[in-house]
Amino acid sequence: TSGVLVQPQQPGAECPEDSGDYCGLQETNSPFVFLSVALKFTDKHEWVQVEGGVGIVGISNYAQEALGDVVYCGLPEVGQRLEQMDEFGALESVKAASELYSPLTGEVTEINTELAENPGLVNKDCYAKGWIIKMTIEKPEELDGLMDQAAYDKFVTSLE
Amino acid sequence: MSESTMMSQIKRTFSLLNQRACSRSSSSFFTDSDSAGLVLQSHSTDVYQNLALEDWIDANVELQGRGILLLWRNRPAVVIGRHQNPWTECNLPVMRRAGIPLARRRSGGGTVFHDLGNLNLTFFTSKKAYDRQRNLKVVTDTLRRLRPGLDVQATDRFDILLNGRYKISGTASRLSRKSSYHHCTLLHSADRSALSSVLRPSCPGIQSNATPSVPSPVANLLDHAPSLQWEELLGALVQQYNTEFGLHSALTVIDPTNESMFPGVGEMEVELRSWDWTFGKTPKFTMETQLELTNEQPPARCSARLQMEVKNGQIESCHLDVPVEWVPVRLSSELSSVLIGERFCPHQAAAAFSALLRSESGATHTRLHRLCDAMLTVMG
């Protein structure tokens, strides 16, 4: 997982240089705090990462392994509005064709055009270069309904 | 058991199986092993009705802990995979003349020709129980049992080869929200000359990243096992399916257009028939080709270059490079621009050209006409 370890600040203390958005963390009680770039997961094995108010979406390692080598990615149009659970695209692998389901409600802001020439990125680098779409987050509360890494890991174990 | 008793039992089973919206506890309804599986045969030979039935079962039937085998066949049709390009996979003008429809299925894989001599088998299971090799084993075990010594083997591409060479079965599958299906063809007595005449490209010069088919030489089972009747094959497959999966399901014939048994199936059929699904779902592609233009009075010949970009089956851009001695630039550029936004379809293009053609006369009209015809020819 990606994240940043930050030492707590004394309430009222001056923020150290370069702390930028970290300042809010000085209120917390925990000795170390992870900054929120952690992934959230759906039970359809998609992950969402929030970055600057935008959700980046991809599929998990469990999903890419189960799918096998991806040979084609069918992606939505930029500007397409998605409700949570809507089908927004499809992946075809040597194993089967499978639909992609939107983890959140929002609008597609960007699609990973690299996947047209290189659909295998979804297998090789599913959490980074193999990202699939970016979307706005119309209902941030939907994120609370998704699993964090620990819950997702437990979920995957229960499937096997 | 009478036909109507069997039908009402099936209907009841389907409505009980249609438990998608309910919680897990609903599966406690089924402790009887008979309900752990169903073997169905579609009464219809319409490719869209049968594909719609597959969609319906996939979307509506609870498949945790149970499986369904669906047997079906179609009147002549070409079926392309979910992400394929029909213009590269099949010969649309030949199909149009022969009245052979095109369907796009929801599973992946390549292009196949269906006719009444081809049997389709769909194995519906939960995602957990998805096992293509096991399903194909049902087919190969059946064939070996019926005709011992018949050399049939499933490959790691999930084809079934006869004598190590001829493809008698191809596979495709779909993984959806809660379930999966694996379907395969089985060539019993298909029309092989029709097959090879339609499984050729319509258009030259297409570049795309659509999933390509892998062409293979094919054979019919009947040619290698001449006494193997259709009914015998079906009966043996059902028996083997039951054996393999520990079931006792009798084959039941169903009508896939029965809305009371399959509510909403009609709508699924409509979607599958639509241009937007069949052609509009084609991945973006470019077409680049040379047009040979010839004329009689006075004799002339030249080459023109045509380049188009097609997205969602519609022409996004079109560039036509025609020597000025054929037609003036204003005409060739107008010909290009009337196509923008039109479907990549010779009928639509012809309609778009007609106004422009009407506005010209004499020799210019003739040469313009030749140019339009050449363009229509390369659009399938």
Side-chain angles (χ1 to χ4, degrees), chain A residues 72 85 92 95 97 99 116, chain B residues 83 109 130 132 174 177 209:
Chain A
Y72 184 82
M85 295 288 277
E92 187 167 338
K95 203 152 197 180
E99 302 295 335
Chain B
H83 301 116
Y130 174 72
R132 288 170 296 176
R174 179 165 152 87
R177 265 187 193 123
N209 64 349

Side-chain angles (χ1 to χ4, degrees), chain B residues 123-135:
Chain B
F123 299 85
F124 294 90
T125 59
S126 64
K127 278 159 118 163
K128 204 167 183 177
Y130 174 72
D131 189 342
R132 288 170 296 176
Q133 285 296 355
R134 191 175 184 193
N135 299 335

Side-chain angles (χ1 to χ4, degrees), chain B residues 29 37 68 95 128 154 161 200:
Chain B
F29 272 119
I68 297 179
M95 286 162 63
K128 204 167 183 177
L161 295 183
R200 282 162 202 277

Side-chain angles (χ1 to χ4, degrees), chain B residues 197-213:
Chain B
S197 74
V198 297
L199 296 186
R200 282 162 202 277
S202 303
C203 302
I206 290 183
Q207 290 270 19
S208 90
N209 64 349
T211 52
S213 293

Side-chain angles (χ1 to χ4, degrees), chain A residues 44 71-72 77 85 87 90 92 94-99 101 116 159, chain B residues 83 106-109 128 130 132 173-177 209 211 283 311:
Chain A
K44 304 273 170 298
V71 299
Y72 184 82
E77 301 287 314
M85 295 288 277
E87 289 177 3
E92 187 167 338
V94 294
K95 203 152 197 180
S98 21
E99 302 295 335
Y101 303 95
L159 296 172
Chain B
H83 301 116
R106 291 191 195 276
S107 55
K128 204 167 183 177
Y130 174 72
R132 288 170 296 176
S173 5
R174 179 165 152 87
L175 300 172
S176 35
R177 265 187 193 123
N209 64 349
T211 52
K311 187 172 170 186

